[in-house]
Amino acid sequence: MRAIGVLTGARADYSIYRPILAAMAADPRLRPLLFVTGMHLSPEHGMTVSEIEADGYAIAERIECLQGSDSPGAVAQAMGRALSGMARALERHRPDLLLVLGDRFEMFAGASAAVPLSIPLAHVHGGEVTYGAMDESFRHAITKLSHLHFASTARYAERILQMGEEPWRIKACGAPALDGLLSMELPGADELSAEIGFDCRRPFLLVTFHPATRDPQDAASQADMFFSALAQARLPVLATAPNADPGGRAARRALEKFATDNPDVMIIDHLGARRYAACMRCAAAMAGNSSSGIIEAASFELPVVNVGSRQEGRIRAANVLDAPLEPTAMSSALSRALAPEFRASLKGLVNPYGQGKASATIVETLATVDLGPGLLRKLFHDLHQGDHNQ
């Protein structure tokens, strides 16, 4: 039985891991070991480690890393704490392989810790592009540290290949978040409304807004502009809280002011995968800059107004309407998203991130790949060929 370390730092990555973990737990060849860090252990962000505990997975280590601030310097210090804590945890548990996902700084810290310990790395959602977030740099750095790559589309797999990774290491498997999404037993609007205390039977906007960390405007200005435009839509709003990114607290303050000024706004720190999917099924539209609007929403034929630069560069389906952080443009995009003819035009929409079969590919690869020296020995043929030609 192979011990597969799984690093999770936030509600978003855990919901993506969930179908992978379920497939691992059902496979007698694999034993998942969870390393839990970041926002999962933060009361400010909902202490979502409780969701992992409720699912019954073994938590190998809890690695505290977040500082009492979300300034750039505090985030850099949190990276250092995460790296140090993961180094100690990996040395104690010595998993056969460490699975990391996406592009957050906790993932980069954990991947960095695995390298000197010669623990192979498998990376989910590499090769993607998000020009508006500092996560762009972390994602590509993790790709170069990793030994196996599970890309969400063929185009992203091609980008990983262009980065010098060998073809046999790369699989275009789709996005794991879609696995079981449409077959999941979701509450109806009545049940959902009772569970969360928000009336989901009427048209409403599902909203998540994170700071675009590479935007020249500060987070407070970004958020103020976004919520000013949102107020003009005159619809009830169900909002989830921003991440622990630089400027996340400023975005949260703007969200709380918006809720104070508009009584038909509800903030929920964490809906959980089941309720979040149910909200996507019930909502009139999504608005903000969450990756869920780019990846999962298409499976529900849900209109999305994606604002600003945070998700710039990602492949998107026809349900996504992009708008700059400018009130007139955002209001126009919201009006179009809420138009019945636009919703009707999305009937039969194909999600470019796959049809929900990623976990089976990932788990079979983790169970069967040779974990010997050949996996750790990364060869870059293009570079070597250039050396030979000199």
Side-chain angles (χ1 to χ4, degrees):
M1 184 179 282
R2 288 179 171 178
I4 306 297
V6 179
L7 177 58
T8 177
R11 66 185 192 230
D13 68 63
Y14 182 69
S15 67
I16 297 170
Y17 276 135
R18 218 173 193 151
I20 303 172
L21 288 167
M24 274 194 212
D27 193 315
R29 298 169 294 178
L30 299 176
R31 177 169 61 95
L33 284 175
L34 269 71
F35 297 93
V36 178
T37 187
M39 289 185 283
H40 281 310
L41 306 177
S42 165
E44 182 182 353
H45 296 93
M47 281 296 286
T48 48
V49 65
S50 61
E51 188 174 337
I52 300 171
E53 293 168 333
D55 285 346
Y57 294 116
I59 297 177
E61 297 269 355
R62 300 168 193 241
I63 300 107
E64 297 274 3
C65 72
L66 295 185
Q67 305 290 100
S69 165
D70 62 2
S71 70
V75 170
Q77 291 179 55
M79 286 174 59
R81 291 183 69 193
L83 195 156
S84 179
M86 275 300 294
R88 291 191 294 271
L90 290 173
E91 201 162 26
R92 277 191 290 268
H93 294 275
R94 285 281 174 178
D96 295 297
L97 179 142
L98 179 65
L99 184 66
V100 294
L101 187 150
D103 48 25
R104 283 189 57 81
F105 69 83
E106 302 96 333
M107 295 294 170
F108 174 65
S112 300
V115 173
L117 295 171
S118 296
I119 294 172
L121 284 160
H123 184 208
V124 181
H125 275 292
E128 301 181 12
V129 177
T130 49
Y131 293 120
M134 66 180 183
D135 301 346
E136 165 87 354
S137 301
F138 294 140
R139 184 188 311 107
H140 298 321
I142 294 169
T143 291
K144 297 310 296 180
L145 295 173
S146 296
H147 306 89
L148 294 172
H149 309 278
F150 299 109
S152 60
T153 73
R155 193 189 305 177
Y156 294 146
E158 179 65 25
R159 183 171 288 119
I160 294 169
L161 186 66
Q162 290 170 343
M163 292 173 71
E165 298 298 296
E166 297 160 289
W168 68 269
R169 299 178 181 275
I170 308 166
K171 292 188 182 295
C173 62
L178 304 184
D179 291 13
L181 188 65
L182 297 181
S183 61
M184 190 185 297
E185 190 173 332
L186 300 179
D190 289 341
E191 183 183 350
L192 180 63
S193 300
E195 285 185 12
I196 66 177
F198 180 86
D199 189 355
C200 299
R201 295 163 296 189
R202 59 195 169 155
F204 70 94
L205 293 175
L206 181 60
V207 168
T208 303
F209 183 80
H210 304 296
T213 48
R214 283 186 171 174
D215 196 293
Q217 289 184 307
D218 62 37
S221 299
Q222 295 173 36
D224 286 344
M225 215 170 296
F226 172 70
F227 291 115
S228 294
L230 205 61
Q232 296 176 35
R234 302 187 185 281
L235 276 180
V237 168
L238 180 62
T240 58
N243 284 338
D245 291 326
R249 289 181 175 179
R252 171 97 189 209
R253 286 192 295 271
L255 171 59
E256 290 171 344
K257 183 180 184 305
F258 175 65
T260 300
D261 295 342
N262 298 273
D264 217 351
V265 175
M266 183 173 183
I267 303 170
I268 296 184
D269 282 330
H270 178 55
L271 280 163
R274 171 178 160 274
R275 289 174 177 172
Y276 192 73
C279 287
M280 283 195 283
R281 187 173 68 177
C282 292
M286 283 183 74
N289 56 12
S290 169
S291 61
S292 60
I294 305 294
I295 297 174
E296 290 103 311
S299 294
F300 293 94
E301 301 171 355
L302 177 64
V304 175
V305 176
N306 175 65
V307 301
S309 62
R310 187 178 175 95
Q311 301 298 336
E312 185 182 350
R314 270 208 167 112
I315 295 168
R316 60 256 280 130
N319 64 313
V320 178
L321 302 173
D322 293 302
L325 272 169
E326 190 277 314
T328 301
M330 285 188 283
S331 295
S332 175
L334 279 165
S335 296
R336 186 181 171 202
L338 294 167
E341 58 270 23
F342 182 71
R343 186 70 181 252
S345 74
L346 303 179
K347 191 71 176 173
L349 184 68
V350 175
N351 194 323
Y353 289 90
Q355 303 305 310
K357 299 178 181 178
S359 298
T361 299
I362 292 169
V363 167
E364 184 62 23
T365 303
L366 296 180
T368 58
V369 69
D370 185 351
L371 295 179
L375 184 66
L376 289 170
R377 191 182 304 117
K378 292 177 66 170
L379 305 175
F380 304 109
H381 294 295
D382 293 343
L383 298 179
H384 289 178
Q385 187 64 44
D387 292 340
H388 295 326
N389 290 339
Q390 288 180 357

